[in-house]
Amino acid sequence: MSYTETIGSRTYRFADLKTLLAKASPQRSGDQLAGVAAASEEERVAAKMALAQVPLRTFLNEALIPYESDEVTRLVIDDHSPQAFAEISHLTVGDFRNWLLSSTTDADALTRITAGLTPEMVAAVSKLMRNQDLIAAARKRPVITRFRNTVGLPGHMSVRLQPNHPTDDVKGIAASMLDGLMYGCGDAMIGINPASDNLAAITKLLLMIDDFRQRYQVPTQSCVLTHVTNTIAAIEKGAPVDLVFQSIAGTEKANAGFGISLALLQEAYEAGLSLKRGTVGNNLMYFETGQGSALSADAHFGVDQQTCEVRAYAVARKFNPFLVNTVVGFIGPEYLYDGKQITRAGLEDHFCGKLLGVPMGCDICYTNHAEADQDDMDNLLTLLGVAGINFIMGIPGADDVMLNYQSTSFHDALYVRDVLGLRRAPEFEEWLESMQITDTRGALLSASTQQPLLEGARDWMGIA
């Protein structure tokens, strides 16, 4: 089905829904690289006007990637709930935007329709929204998950403590981990990107974190971000695996490039569940995504990068994840060129994920060859804090010494919690207070008060 829109004396024609969605996207370098972006701002406006008139039902009848050749499309269609969709089935994309922003649409309403939404519907409506619309609508939709603590409660924001090391040195990782804990970070998880995929090294890291967690009774969860097959092997060897990690994308071909399928993710999910390591819940999958991953794998099939990204969230929600992280500026300026594009993508990803019922966090980041700086990250951090982000990254100095990119620091987490009044996961906050790291308000206590834990941890690390 084709779509048309006339502006003045010029009529714009869009061959199909896939083309219309791509042309309606805000400007970004990845879509230009793929050759699917609007050729002018006028064409972009025409596409938005045409898209606003498309009935939501259309997305159930016009697949962007054929059902027969893509298991993500099959997942989206097969898991769609007509009952949940009924409440909004009469709306166009433009009407849906107005419904989302209405003062009468609350968290209960957004939760009711979750199973009736497809990624394409959600991506479409985001293309009609300003940044403030994305913030306002996402803020209405908390997504709460539990493992050893509770993440995503309204008025709360958690932090993934990311103590990476370029050679996986256990003492170096432990020192960064302790540093982050002293700043009150780590309630989302303690998550290490290993420099090596060696199973023995991965197991050593898991054992180190678990030993520390048990010794000091820390109510958090750990994860070593290795390929899911390595995690399954670690589970089979009795390693203390909490969260099961995998990078995912929005098409079957892109996921195959990651060496995964829905069946393999199901196997990993069941392996994690079999350990029964959660104490307050059993959400245990940790997924990472990012706009441009399908394009970089030549697996986008002409679909714009943001719509491909939202399709990845349909994969994520299938497995009841504890955390989903859009690593928003990590892939590079070929996909998100500058601070403005990174900011827009971060707000889109958070909004779309939350609308689909996914517990969204964001690695607010950029690579050193992008046209962005830490001021851009401050802006996005503040906007996502207002929007109700579930978690962000906490990295020593905001500079990851293993992955070589710029993100957010322990101090950045203190800033956004302070200015927006955001609390940590309640179980973790109680622990921080009991360990005399923070006071009853969640504010950091002095270093002298923290000294007993520091001394004990030094002994545990074997540091004089």
Side-chain angles (χ1 to χ4, degrees), residues 57-78:
R57 289 184 179 277
T58 302
F59 295 92
L60 300 175
N61 301 318
E62 188 175 341
L64 306 189
I65 303 173
Y67 181 95
E68 298 76 16
S69 60
D70 186 89
E71 68 174 1
V72 177
T73 300
R74 293 195 291 275
L75 171 68
V76 168
I77 298 301
D78 294 349

Side-chain angles (χ1 to χ4, degrees), residues 234-278:
I235 291 172
E236 291 172 346
K237 290 182 177 296
V241 173
D242 287 344
L243 303 186
V244 176
F245 163 78
Q246 184 55 50
S247 293
I248 58 173
T251 72
E252 180 178 345
K253 183 179 178 182
N255 283 326
F258 287 136
I260 62 167
S261 64
L262 296 180
L264 181 59
L265 292 178
Q266 183 67 37
E267 180 184 348
Y269 178 48
E270 291 172 1
L273 287 174
S274 72
L275 299 180
K276 300 180 180 178
R277 291 176 59 84

Side-chain angles (χ1 to χ4, degrees), residues 160-169 173 189-198 201-202 205-206 208-209 222-227 245-247 286-289 325 327 330 363 393-396 400-405 407:
R160 170 192 162 186
L161 173 49
Q162 185 171 309
N164 294 345
H165 191 279
T167 63
D168 289 340
D169 180 79
I173 288 171
M189 70 167 174
I190 299 170
I192 302 167
N193 298 86
S196 166
D197 273 337
N198 178 276
I202 290 163
L205 295 176
L206 287 168
M208 180 272 289
I209 301 175
S222 65
C223 184
V224 174
L225 281 66
T226 186
H227 192 271
F245 163 78
Q246 184 55 50
S247 293
Y286 173 54
F287 293 117
E288 286 193 344
T289 68
N325 179 27
V327 193
F330 183 75
D363 190 342
M393 304 299 109
I395 297 171
D400 192 298
V401 295
M402 195 281 283
L403 293 172
N404 294 309
Y405 76 114
S407 185

